[in-house]
Amino acid sequence: MSGTPIFDRLAALLRDEVPVALATVLDGQRAGAKLMVHRPAADEVEVDGTLGDEDLDRVVARDALGELAAGRSGVRHYGEHGEAREESLRVFIEAFASPPRMLLFGAVDFTLALVRVAKVLGYRVTVCDAREVFATTQRFPLADEVVVDWPDRLLAEVGPELRRRDAICVLTHDVKFDVPAIVAALRTSVGYIGVMGSRRTHEDRVGRLVEAGVSDEEMARLRSPIGLDIGARTPEETAISVMSEIIALRTGRSARALSDTDGPIHD
Amino acid sequence: MREILKDLERWRRQGRPVAVARVVDLEGSGPRLPGASMAVTEDGQVAGSVSGGCVEGAVVMEALDVLATGDRRMVTFGYSDDEAFAVGLTCGGTIHLFIEPLDW
């Protein structure tokens, strides 16, 4: 293992979508020195390479794990031996977090278009539908995973792993599936819950969700009807409308045309 | 580096010298975040990007120099009034890149 160059070990972890952080010294004699850190299991830490000093390695490995958990890349300053208050050494910590997840409930035409757009944006995509004739890998070749099951049962399993950067889209249009799916989605920390349907379907669904015990506060988390108002008609246009809403919600931006607004384009 | 991984692996398998430029820091408005990366081979093939196309040409020149000399380095691109014709980001921000050979 230690004979393998660190790039090859990094490439292998990235191929397997294992979260990993890579630290690189930017200054001085040791510029280019590398340290890589990942967790082979929840309570284990594996450190590869060295920045040329045992104490520096220890401090940077700890910070790199923190940056990895936060999904953040950036420069940190240290002393020669990892002293926190010194600034003689700059180290770039690059966090390769696992990709964000997108769960699509309902294996319909809109799902197919959303899978394609979500893959372009780097999501790990799961399609879930209880009907096995529809939920097939033949129909969704680009999906990372096609699950034949009830959405609420899938969420009982993977729901606790979902974070703010992840997204759930409920595309079933069928109250049998979507009410339990929405209730289960609201129990997770997922950042986006979009629910497809016309305004009339939405009104009807709100009534059923209230009956199922969903509070006003929880209801406010739902993006229903799903998507931004860009006049989308086809499944592909709708997919762009939904993904745009997901991005705008994550970044907290207005989703208005930049030509109609002032201020910086990038935060 | 994730976006250019396939290119890096292929060039490495072919034994071709490659330099990798990574955005490590950003001041003000900038199109690509830290971690954005670009690779350049000795014969000038390019994968990836580090800005919206504003500085890529200059990065290729720096990367070729890194390959020729073997010296890793920090390079900064920004815009200031007295350098109106120098290479910079049209959005007004400053990016700091680290460029090094893929020899690790």
Side-chain angles (χ1 to χ4, degrees):
Chain A
M1 190 75 181
S2 57
T4 315
I6 204 159
F7 172 79
D8 295 334
R9 281 176 276 159
L10 172 68
L13 291 171
L14 291 179
R15 267 197 309 272
D16 292 341
E17 293 187 352
V18 176
V20 53
L22 178 73
T24 305
V25 175
L26 300 180
D27 301 300
Q29 296 265 303
R30 289 185 250 147
K34 301 246 172 352
L35 183 87
M36 186 170 81
V37 54
H38 75 285
R39 289 184 181 279
D43 54 352
E44 281 175 50
V45 174
E46 192 173 312
V47 180
D48 279 317
T50 177
L51 304 182
D53 180 272
E54 211 173 294
D55 292 319
L56 180 66
D57 285 351
R58 191 169 36 77
V59 175
V60 171
R62 183 200 63 199
D63 289 352
L65 283 175
E67 296 295 86
L68 186 57
R72 199 168 45 207
S73 297
V75 174
R76 296 179 76 107
H77 298 80
Y78 302 93
E80 295 287 327
H81 308 288
E83 297 88 339
R85 288 190 196 138
E86 293 181 27
E87 301 219 326
S88 55
L89 216 57
R90 283 180 298 176
V91 175
F92 176 55
I93 297 176
E94 183 167 5
F96 300 92
S98 54
R101 294 196 61 170
M102 165 95 58
L103 303 185
L104 301 173
F105 295 147
V108 297
D109 281 357
F110 288 98
T111 317
L112 193 59
L114 257 173
V115 173
R116 286 161 59 195
V117 179
K119 286 312 292 177
V120 168
L121 294 183
Y123 283 83
R124 179 173 168 75
V125 182
T126 301
V127 174
C128 171
D129 195 308
R131 304 165 299 176
E132 57 186 299
V133 284
F134 293 116
T136 64
T137 48
Q138 285 78 15
R139 287 190 73 214
F140 300 97
L142 289 178
D144 296 285
E145 197 179 29
V146 178
V147 178
V148 181
D149 205 343
W150 286 70
D152 50 319
R153 287 192 6 186
L154 177 69
L155 279 177
E157 195 185 314
V158 305
E161 298 161 14
L162 299 177
R163 301 283 172 269
R164 196 172 165 266
R165 65 202 187 111
D166 302 317
I168 293 175
C169 298
V170 182
L171 309 168
T172 45
H173 291 89
D174 181 336
V175 291
K176 270 202 313 295
F177 293 94
D178 64 12
V179 169
I182 293 164
V183 170
L186 285 168
R187 289 196 200 109
T188 71
S189 305
V190 75
Y192 178 92
I193 306 172
V195 190
M196 186 164 275
S198 63
R199 296 221 178 260
R200 197 167 55 190
T201 310
H202 168 73
E203 293 304 322
D204 174 58
R205 191 162 41 215
V206 166
R208 291 170 189 273
L209 287 169
V210 170
E211 281 171 30
V214 171
S215 69
D216 288 352
E217 199 181 321
E218 289 174 317
M219 209 73 83
R221 274 180 74 191
L222 302 181
R223 294 282 161 155
S224 173
I226 198 169
L228 295 183
D229 183 7
I230 57 171
R233 296 297 291 266
T234 65
E236 290 73 21
E237 289 174 352
T238 305
I240 299 289
S241 147
V242 171
M243 286 309 310
S244 307
E245 182 175 48
I246 291 173
I247 296 167
L249 189 69
R250 192 193 68 218
T251 57
R253 302 294 289 238
S254 70
R256 291 174 59 202
L258 289 167
S259 56
D260 287 339
T261 59
D262 295 318
I265 294 170
H266 314 290
D267 280 328
Chain B
M1 264 182 301
R2 200 193 285 274
E3 310 85 50
I4 58 170
L5 192 64
K6 285 198 176 116
D7 294 297
L8 291 177
E9 289 190 281
R10 189 180 68 250
W11 287 333
R12 195 166 162 103
R13 262 199 315 276
Q14 295 167 347
R16 298 165 74 175
V18 180
V20 178
R22 285 184 283 164
V23 176
V24 299
D25 207 359
L26 184 71
E27 292 157 46
S29 186
R32 302 291 312 269
L33 295 172
S37 60
M38 175 173 153
V40 180
T41 65
E42 225 169 14
D43 57 352
Q45 286 200 56
V46 173
S49 76
V50 292
S51 75
C54 315
V55 303
E56 273 71 7
V59 173
V60 170
M61 301 312 289
E62 283 287 345
L64 291 175
D65 193 60
V66 165
L67 283 176
T69 61
D71 295 334
R72 347 174 93 78
R73 68 193 67 163
M74 289 287 296
V75 180
T76 295
F77 293 104
Y79 178 84
S80 68
D81 288 339
D82 54 350
E83 297 171 46
F85 296 99
V87 176
L89 297 171
T90 50
C91 49
T94 300
I95 54 172
H96 301 278
L97 304 178
F98 185 64
I99 309 180
E100 62 176 339
L102 184 62
D103 58 0
W104 42 281

